[in-house]
Amino acid sequence: MPSVRILYLFLLCLTAALAAPAPWPHELGDVPPDPAIRWGRLDNGLRYAVRKNTEPAGRVYLILQVAVGAVHERDDQRGYAHFVEHMMFRGTKKYPATSIVNFLQHEGLAMGADTSAFTNFTTTFYNLDLPQNSPEKIALGLSILRDFTDSAVIAKAEVKREAKVIESERRTRDSSAAQVGESLNAFLHPGTLITRRAPIGTPESVQNATAEKLLEFYRTWYRPSRLTVIAVGDAEPDLLERLVREQFASLKPATPAEPADPDLGLRSAIPGDFQARFFPTPTVSGTTSALYSISPMEPAPDTIARRREQVAQNAGFALLGARLAELTRKQPNDIGDSQAGWTVEFGLRRQATIRLDTRADRWRMGVRLAEQELRRALLHGFTADEVKLQIESYRNAYQEAIRSESNRQSQFIAHAIRNGLEFNFVNSSPTTDWALAESTVLNLTPEQCIEAFRAIWVPANRRLAVIGHYPEPLTEAELRIAYEDSTYASFFTEKDERAITPFDYTYFGPPGVVASRRHDARADIHSLVFANGVRLNLKATDYEKNHVYLRLRLGRGMAAELPDQSGLGLIASGSYLAGGLGRYDNVEL
């Protein structure tokens, strides 16, 4: 008997070890988390994060996050993570299919507006925006999420019905843009799991899904160690924490074995040769030319050192983006939108991008400008005045985040916590963010920016993608020739220096004369009319502290259009902002 007891204790300890949840991002690094957020774990491995927030008043926002998505599916389960998400709203043990939607609506929760769910490559999450913050209503919302974790009723008849809904969703999503996106992803990351795991699945896998197969997937992956409950809203943290514990402490995994996360294939070697590909679109429009650089990286925690390093990295791309915007301003008939940026793919690959949209007959110009503006930055770097402008942009962004901190919506905060868990960054407060970045931002130099920029734009692993519509598809040889012709072009001048000058519009003449004023006591609105006929309406509010909203209304809209001027007002409204001001164009503004 002692040996049996020892074996039992060993298995118990092993099960507990396997069920250990992933650490919080702030437990891996040295960035202090937002002190307003309370982080906790239950004995079964489930994690929770709760925070009091009074915007909007009287409401609480709930999220159930499940660390399972499309990449966790087997080849014969494609689309199952998304399918299971759908099936939750077909009924659970406590809230059966005939009543769950009606029940939610009875509680004031509209599907889509207040209640929704989403599945991506690595995560499934469910949202409830509770219109009341009483303990009873919060407990009710958590009870619904609890039923999602282990009490889904996946019935044969409901599976057949929902398969038709998912197929309809696929047809709605199956746009040319989505098809190009999938093909582009396969071009940039060939042979990886993410190119074979579209969350929507395949028509065959969805049609062949059965209740038994879906239940197997559900019971395997919906387990406490992969769950996080997030509650943010107008309620005390003690209450939120107590209610989470009451609802989820008894949850147990449905299967004994802890499933392993899959190998995404992103650690595999990246071919270093230059590659180019054309992606056709069915509709006649402009053309997008994009240069990419793909480089491997090791997963790293969110640390103070990493954040300070990213200041210079992000600045380099922002500076290149500003240069591209100037190109657009100078050649508006040829160039449309432009962009420069970088992303981290699942913490394992870094992807840098420079993209220009051009007229279809100017696609070679798009390739040339992308290559040459990138090369100009890599060779000559950035100027001191450009970096000074970026420092001011950084400072304003951080300070605005601090000013608006008390006005952040509960929904925004809850999803920021969810994103932090999914992408492994710490939810720190805006005040902390600026305290950590201030010295780095204020002392940023052109040398730091170009060094960080060059580190991301590695010479190898370059990819060129051209997306557009042509009677005869562009060949890879044509794309290579356009790119190589550009690389042979030489230029010797650096970027023109941009001087920082004071804003030209500082004096508007003497103050206006008030001709009349009145006060609407019911709405507490003060209305003034100036001698020149301009009207001004003022209202003070006690929410969204440190913010002032301004709105300017001109003319009488469509009512002022003559019979032969239909649509002129619409064109004028777009041209008004695009036209800038007398001393600045819209890009400079």
Side-chain angles (χ1 to χ4, degrees), residues 7-153:
L7 177 61
Y8 171 78
L9 291 174
F10 170 77
L11 292 174
L12 185 64
C13 293
L14 179 61
T15 302
L18 291 175
W24 297 108
H26 60 263
E27 294 175 334
L28 300 173
D30 53 1
V31 176
D34 185 346
I37 302 173
R38 183 178 298 181
W39 315 86
R41 290 185 178 90
L42 301 182
D43 292 339
N44 58 14
L46 180 141
R47 298 183 298 180
Y48 62 87
V50 300
R51 186 189 193 278
K52 182 176 182 179
N53 187 66
T54 56
E55 284 291 337
R59 299 184 74 98
V60 174
Y61 197 85
L62 304 177
I63 295 178
L64 171 66
Q65 184 171 17
V66 191
V68 60
V71 297
H72 297 91
E73 301 160 354
R74 299 192 306 260
D75 285 341
D76 62 335
Q77 296 176 326
R78 295 175 66 177
Y80 277 25
H82 176 246
F83 206 138
V84 166
E85 170 226 304
H86 271 244
M87 292 307 299
M88 294 301 177
F89 298 97
R90 286 286 179 178
T92 64
K93 292 179 180 178
K94 189 180 293 184
Y95 307 99
T98 55
S99 64
I100 186 169
V101 174
N102 292 335
F103 175 80
L104 291 169
Q105 291 174 344
H106 179 268
E107 295 299 324
L109 301 174
M111 291 299 296
D114 309 304
T115 305
S116 61
F118 189 79
T119 302
N120 58 28
F121 282 110
T122 60
T123 306
T124 303
F125 57 89
Y126 304 87
N127 314 317
L128 290 178
D129 189 357
L130 304 178
Q132 299 180 40
N133 63 344
S134 68
E136 295 76 19
K137 294 300 182 182
I138 299 172
L140 178 62
L142 291 170
S143 171
I144 295 171
L145 296 183
R146 165 58 201 268
D147 245 34
F148 286 174
T149 64
D150 66 349
S151 300
V153 178

Side-chain angles (χ1 to χ4, degrees), residues 334-407:
D334 295 324
I335 307 173
D337 192 21
S338 60
Q339 186 181 45
W342 68 289
T343 59
V344 174
E345 304 296 325
F346 303 94
L348 299 171
R349 282 188 180 180
R350 193 160 46 197
Q351 176 177 306
T353 309
I354 177 173
R355 192 206 82 220
L356 286 99
D357 296 341
T358 63
R359 285 169 35 189
D361 59 341
R362 295 287 192 269
W363 70 266
R364 289 181 178 84
M365 170 192 285
V367 173
R368 183 177 71 251
L369 290 176
E371 189 279 327
Q372 292 186 7
E373 285 305 314
L374 172 60
R375 182 155 51 99
R376 190 190 309 275
L378 291 172
L379 286 174
H380 299 302
F382 306 105
T383 70
D385 274 345
E386 283 180 304
V387 174
K388 287 179 183 177
L389 288 170
Q390 186 57 37
I391 289 173
E392 289 304 310
S393 177
Y394 268 139
R395 190 208 307 264
N396 291 337
Y398 279 106
Q399 293 299 321
E400 176 58 23
I402 293 172
R403 284 194 296 269
S404 61
E405 183 174 8
S406 62
N407 304 322

Side-chain angles (χ1 to χ4, degrees), residues 530-584:
F530 292 96
N532 60 2
V534 173
R535 294 177 177 271
L536 174 64
N537 296 314
L538 302 170
K539 178 176 175 60
T541 61
D542 58 0
Y543 52 88
E544 293 202 61
K545 297 178 178 60
N546 303 317
H547 272 67
V548 175
Y549 287 92
L550 306 176
R551 175 172 292 178
L552 174 66
R553 296 185 62 180
L554 301 171
R556 294 184 291 115
M558 291 186 293
E561 293 177 352
L562 297 176
D564 60 345
Q565 295 178 336
S566 178
L568 185 62
L570 182 62
I571 297 174
S573 64
S575 304
Y576 185 79
L577 292 179
L581 298 176
R583 300 173 196 170
Y584 299 100

